[in-house]
Amino acid sequence: MILLTLETTCDETAAAVVTDQLEVLGSVVASQDHLHQRFGGVVPEIASRAHVERILPVIHEALAKAGVTLRELDAVAVANTPGLAGSLLVGLAAAKTLALALDIPLVAVNHLQAHVYACRIASGENVFPCVALVVSGGHTSLYRCRSPLEFELLGGTIDDAAGEAFDKVASMLGLPFPGGPSIQKAAERGDAAAYPFPRTFLNDAARLDFSFSGLKTAVRYTLVGPGHVDFDKLQLDPQQVADVAASFQAAVVDVLAGKAFAALEQSGLNILCVGGGVAANSALRRRLEAEAVQRGVKLYIPPLHLCTDNAVMGAIAVERLKAGLVEPLDLDAVAGLQR
Ligand code: KG4
Ligand code: ZN
């Protein structure tokens, strides 16, 4: 079987052509970073309008790369939750149109579960049952996954997501959007022990939740203190920027790794899958790899292009299709965050 998968949950317009054997025949990701850059974050209305412009060219390019025609498709899958309402609707409208016109099944994809499934696709191995950590721009969540269809939420952030904290701290430091890659780069020249930023909940081993807003505020107070500040006019010493970036990143890595391994201990599992844009972070990857070896845990982290948003991970639709889980054409977008 050949599936077309669509991803428009946030600010990437992506399409992929995959088989039920999880072969990737073609994949296209159109980034909108340059459109959102000057706002320091994703502007939902700009994102949805850009999806409208890009969705058809992106689908055509994915099909062309795969050497597959529309008529050869056996199903179409689309991420319908979670995400920005306007963005989700564009992918959903395209997928429904194709399903109706081609008379093929429509399959719903949960974007967060798809981030985890990227580990299955990239490794070519069965990664279930596992503990999964999803670290993205909107989510920081731990799951116990019995199978590709059974995700049980163990905990998550009670305020900001890890990626959101990277983006906001980068903005305070005058570093470009998206903040994750720019903080990672600045951190290379910095001292991770320069500032003792908080590691919220890290010492509460029983609690599998995260909180990053206190960390974000600690960074702000380190830079400027309370009160109104125009961060655009702030003159920061480049070494201080590097030291804050490195110390902030170290705090995030400590809590993500600490909670992921605590979840493994609590659940008695020894497979850890990590997905989402923040899983592209080199310091996090190094830390998880080292600790996994030490603890005898099998770790799966996808290559960078399958960590950040893409449509290949929508191949989780194959599992739903095999289980007979197809959707009616009135499938809704379920916007917002899953907490
Ligand atoms: O999964 P993703 O591409 O989109 C969402 O589903 O949100 O994640 C985007 C997030 C952004 O906050 C971005 O700053 C972060 O992932 N990110 C990183 C890195 N690359 C992307 N964070 C830390 N280090 C990176 N190298
Ligand atoms: Zn994502």
Side-chain angles (χ1 to χ4, degrees):
M1 283 197 293
I2 300 178
L3 286 82
L4 175 70
T5 56
L6 305 181
E7 155 61 46
T8 63
T9 59
C10 187
D11 64 336
E12 259 88 30
T13 318
V17 181
V18 298
T19 71
D20 58 351
Q21 300 303 306
L22 303 181
E23 295 155 303
V24 181
L25 304 181
S27 169
V28 177
V29 180
S31 161
Q32 303 178 6
D33 283 350
H34 64 289
L35 297 177
H36 303 286
Q37 185 122 39
R38 70 190 177 100
F39 302 102
V42 177
V43 182
E45 187 59 29
I46 292 177
S48 55
R49 285 166 191 250
H51 284 307
V52 171
E53 287 167 6
R54 282 146 212 249
I55 188 74
L56 293 181
V58 164
I59 290 172
H60 284 299
E61 199 179 322
L63 289 166
K65 275 192 178 175
V68 165
T69 63
L70 282 174
R71 295 267 158 223
E72 290 172 283
L73 295 176
D74 296 297
V76 55
V78 61
N80 75 319
T81 190
L84 302 170
S87 293
L88 289 166
L89 287 174
V90 178
L92 209 55
K96 288 179 181 180
T97 306
L98 288 170
L100 180 68
L102 301 170
D103 193 20
I104 54 176
L106 174 70
V107 189
V109 167
N110 176 305
H111 178 82
L112 302 176
Q113 297 179 1
H115 269 307
V116 176
Y117 200 73
C119 295
R120 164 76 185 87
I121 300 163
S123 68
E125 293 172 15
N126 173 30
V127 299
F128 301 94
C130 65
V131 163
L133 171 67
V134 177
V135 263
S136 69
H139 293 82
T140 303
S141 310
L142 276 164
Y143 298 91
R144 180 196 184 110
C145 315
R146 285 171 220 282
S147 77
L149 299 172
E150 294 166 287
F151 283 66
E152 178 198 341
L153 189 65
L154 299 175
T157 184
I158 60 164
D159 41 55
D160 289 7
E164 187 179 357
F166 268 99
D167 294 335
K168 288 176 177 169
V169 167
S171 162
M172 287 190 252
L173 293 173
L175 298 170
F177 174 84
S182 34
I183 287 198
Q184 177 179 315
K185 189 151 175 279
E188 285 165 11
R189 296 173 286 105
D191 174 6
Y195 300 97
F197 289 135
R199 271 91 169 143
T200 310
F201 301 148
L202 188 57
N203 293 328
D204 186 352
R207 185 166 184 186
L208 297 176
D209 288 324
F210 303 89
S211 164
F212 294 105
S213 79
L215 170 59
K216 194 181 63 185
T217 307
V219 170
R220 184 204 152 105
Y221 283 8
T222 297
L223 296 174
V224 290
H228 177 76
V229 180
D230 185 349
F231 281 94
D232 287 340
K233 299 214 172 83
L234 206 61
Q235 297 284 336
L236 294 170
D237 164 50
Q239 192 55 49
Q240 189 190 17
V241 170
D243 288 344
V244 168
S247 302
F248 162 80
Q249 181 175 267
V252 175
V253 167
D254 274 355
V255 289
L256 292 177
K259 291 296 169 191
F261 289 106
L264 282 160
E265 271 181 21
Q266 283 184 30
S267 59
L269 293 165
N270 76 335
I271 298 179
L272 175 63
C273 287
V274 187
V278 181
N281 184 268
S282 55
L284 177 64
R285 297 171 80 95
R286 275 198 305 272
R287 168 66 175 279
L288 292 173
E289 277 157 16
E291 204 167 331
V293 170
Q294 211 177 47
R295 291 171 176 260
V297 164
K298 181 86 179 130
L299 172 71
Y300 292 95
I301 310 189
L304 303 194
H305 70 284
L306 294 182
C307 287
T308 47
D309 284 351
N310 65 86
V312 169
M313 64 191 193
I316 191 173
V318 168
E319 304 283 351
R320 294 184 69 82
L321 203 53
K322 283 181 180 164
L325 297 169
V326 298
E327 306 299 330
L329 287 178
D330 63 356
L331 173 69
D332 236 337
V334 184
L337 299 168
Q338 270 179 15
R339 295 244 168 118

